[in-house]
């Protein structure tokens, strides 16, 4: 059962996969890859920032499913999560751009090589559910990226968008149902009154 924690669990799974694949090269330390806003990157070199959540209704079962003999629950909702991946170089100014390009290139390579997040990275309720989170590098117009950055006074930094799909959150809405225990069948017979 995927709980409301599925959003943070999905973000942490993405971060853990990047940490495993991007350290020690091109990023020296695992803790320099973090789930946080690119505007508040502090000492991080790669930030993973959830900026959009949308419900995915394509092919999703609606209605209720059977939980127990007398209880039905609303089917889980499925969501698409869009994460902004941003490089933050701490190198001297003359080397900073090249350093950021290396980090972004390595992250692109990792995400392209992993069309879904391996089970070993899934925490909590996503692990219990054996979720299959799909990873897609999404084509995002430059003006959309600039809108995200222009919401603050921060300078734009090289970024790209990753779509994580198939993230489900179970409902707590249930209804009790009663089983049919007795059936009465009646028939109407007409007496035709024939002689015997």
């Amino acid at each position: 059962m995927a709980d409301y924690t599925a959003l943070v669990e999905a973000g942490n799974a993405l971060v853990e996969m990047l940490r495993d694949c991007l350290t020690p090269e091109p990023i020296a330390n695992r803790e320099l890859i973090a789930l946080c806003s690119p505007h508040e990157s502090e000492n991080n070199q790669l930030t993973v920032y959830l900026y959009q959540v949308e419900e995915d209704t394509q092919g999703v079962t609606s209605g209720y499913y059977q939980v127990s003999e007398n209880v039905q629950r609303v089917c889980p909702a499925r969501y698409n999560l869009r994460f902004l991946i941003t490089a933050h170089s701490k190198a001297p100014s003359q080397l900073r751009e090249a350093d950021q390009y290396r980090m972004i290139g390595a992250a692109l390579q990792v995400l392209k090589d992993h069309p879904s997040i391996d089970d070993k990275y899934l925490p909590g309720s996503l692990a219990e559910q054996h979720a299959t989170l799909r990873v897609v590098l999404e084509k995002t117009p430059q003006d959309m990226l600039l809108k995200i950055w222009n919401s603050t006074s921060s300078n734009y930094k090289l970024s790209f968008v990753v779509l994580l799909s198939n993230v489900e959150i179970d409902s707590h809405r249930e209804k009790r149902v009663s089983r049919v225990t007795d059936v009465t069948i009646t028939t109407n017979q007409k007496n035709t009154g024939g002689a015997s």
Side-chain angles (χ1 to χ4, degrees):
M1 177 165 153
D3 209 348
Y4 65 88
T5 55
L7 301 185
V8 70
E9 289 169 0
N12 283 333
L14 182 57
V15 166
E16 284 305 312
M17 185 172 75
L18 290 168
R19 283 175 171 173
D20 261 11
C21 298
L22 297 178
T23 57
E25 180 60 39
I27 298 173
N29 189 326
R30 294 174 59 84
E31 283 67 41
L32 298 177
I33 302 171
L35 189 66
C36 71
S37 167
H39 308 301
E40 300 162 3
S41 61
E42 296 176 12
N43 292 323
N44 298 308
Q45 288 189 288
L46 196 73
T47 55
V48 178
Y49 174 59
L50 176 62
Y51 76 92
Q52 186 182 40
V53 178
E54 69 179 9
E55 188 171 3
D56 179 4
T57 56
Q58 295 278 349
V60 176
T61 306
S62 59
Y64 288 80
Y65 68 97
Q66 206 69 33
V67 176
S68 63
E69 185 178 347
N70 296 317
V71 178
Q72 292 181 340
R73 181 177 293 146
V74 171
C75 291
R78 186 181 304 155
Y79 297 94
N80 292 326
L81 311 180
R82 285 181 176 82
F83 290 89
L84 186 71
I85 311 293
T86 307
H88 308 269
S89 176
K90 306 305 177 196
S93 58
Q94 67 270 28
L95 302 174
R96 193 169 299 149
E97 291 300 318
D99 192 32
Q100 289 177 166
Y101 298 165
R102 276 194 296 277
M103 287 186 279
I104 289 292
L108 288 168
Q109 183 181 53
V110 167
L111 296 170
K112 197 68 176 172
D113 287 348
H114 294 83
S116 63
I117 294 183
D118 297 341
D119 288 348
K120 66 180 179 179
Y121 299 119
L122 297 178
S125 65
L126 292 180
E128 291 168 15
Q129 181 193 22
H130 302 290
T132 302
L133 303 186
R134 289 188 290 277
V135 178
V136 176
L137 297 174
E138 191 164 77
K139 293 179 182 176
T140 307
Q142 186 68 20
D143 61 333
M144 179 61 157
L145 290 173
L146 290 173
K147 280 181 186 174
I148 296 168
W149 281 97
N150 288 339
S151 62
T152 69
S153 58
S154 304
N155 292 329
Y156 174 80
K157 291 185 180 177
L158 187 59
S159 305
F160 67 92
V161 173
V162 172
L163 172 68
L164 279 193
S165 60
N166 208 32
V167 178
E168 292 187 348
I169 297 179
D170 285 307
S171 174
H172 285 176
R173 189 169 151 199
E174 296 178 342
K175 68 178 181 179
R176 295 195 63 76
V177 291
S178 56
R179 297 287 174 208
V180 176
T181 55
D182 292 318
V183 176
T184 304
I185 301 174
T186 59
T187 59
N188 291 333
Q189 295 182 344
K190 291 185 178 178
N191 190 350
T192 55
S196 39

